[in-house]
Amino acid sequence: MILSASILDRLSSQHKSITEIISGADETRIAFHPAPGKWSAHDNIAHLARYNIVFQERLQKIISEEEQTFPRYIAENDSEFPQWQEMKTNGLLSSVQNERMKIFSFANSIPGNHLKRIGIHPRFGRLNVADWLEFFLLHEAHHMFTIFQLVKVVK
């Protein structure tokens, strides 16, 4: 088994669009909360930055411990998430870039026979490494679309 070119391409570059999406938006717009309890573009970026680290931990466990079960990641239940929300947007973007390079390198170094290893997601069930990477990328894309809406939609 090998990782698809699509997964590898998106792992190497998808996250870079966040900077492009928010370019031209001032800090007020990036920090704007559309409703009480709803995340701003900044909060979404903080979530992605934090989840890059959480995902690395999960990916390493899948490789080292077959059939690992993971709870659904909920940022509000993560005691470290508020620290990420307090970071400057540029710092979050740097973290996303640095951690993504680690994920990309790690994914490229996984032996083919280990790509079949399974991690269990509470909603999607048994996922192999490629499925987890696809899930990670789609999750990120969802938040990127949300960021786009928050900074581009006319109020």
Side-chain angles (χ1 to χ4, degrees), residues 11-22:
L11 270 178
S12 71
S13 65
Q14 177 174 276
H15 64 285
K16 294 175 183 177
S17 294
I18 301 168
T19 301
E20 294 172 21
I21 291 167
I22 66 170

Side-chain angles (χ1 to χ4, degrees), residues 51-76:
Y51 192 69
N52 268 272
I53 294 169
V54 170
F55 183 74
Q56 285 178 74
E57 294 167 356
R58 290 179 175 200
L59 195 55
Q60 290 172 352
K61 283 185 179 181
I62 292 167
I63 297 303
S64 64
E65 304 171 31
E66 184 68 29
E67 302 283 329
Q68 181 72 31
T69 300
F70 300 98
R72 185 170 169 240
Y73 177 75
I74 301 170
E76 291 83 1

Side-chain angles (χ1 to χ4, degrees), residues 2-119:
I2 62 170
L3 291 175
S4 72
S6 172
I7 287 175
L8 292 173
D9 287 347
R10 288 178 290 142
L11 270 178
S12 71
S13 65
Q14 177 174 276
H15 64 285
K16 294 175 183 177
S17 294
I18 301 168
T19 301
E20 294 172 21
I21 291 167
I22 66 170
S23 70
D26 62 24
E27 283 299 319
T28 301
R29 184 67 172 203
I30 293 169
F32 171 73
H33 290 266
K38 295 289 186 182
W39 284 355
S40 65
H42 177 86
D43 293 329
N44 276 274
I45 297 167
H47 171 67
L48 292 175
R50 173 67 179 135
Y51 192 69
N52 268 272
I53 294 169
V54 170
F55 183 74
Q56 285 178 74
E57 294 167 356
R58 290 179 175 200
L59 195 55
Q60 290 172 352
K61 283 185 179 181
I62 292 167
I63 297 303
S64 64
E65 304 171 31
E66 184 68 29
E67 302 283 329
Q68 181 72 31
T69 300
F70 300 98
R72 185 170 169 240
Y73 177 75
I74 301 170
E76 291 83 1
N77 295 341
D78 180 354
S79 62
E80 294 186 39
F81 182 60
Q83 298 166 2
W84 290 85
Q85 289 175 295
E86 295 300 318
M87 291 176 67
K88 299 273 187 205
T89 302
N90 285 339
L92 294 170
L93 294 170
S94 293
S95 178
V96 169
Q97 175 64 29
N98 293 335
E99 298 306 322
R100 180 56 61 80
M101 287 190 305
K102 292 177 189 177
I103 293 170
F104 181 78
S105 295
F106 184 73
N108 270 314
S109 72
I110 299 170
N113 61 327
H114 283 74
L115 292 173
K116 296 178 183 176
R117 290 192 179 239
I118 300 294

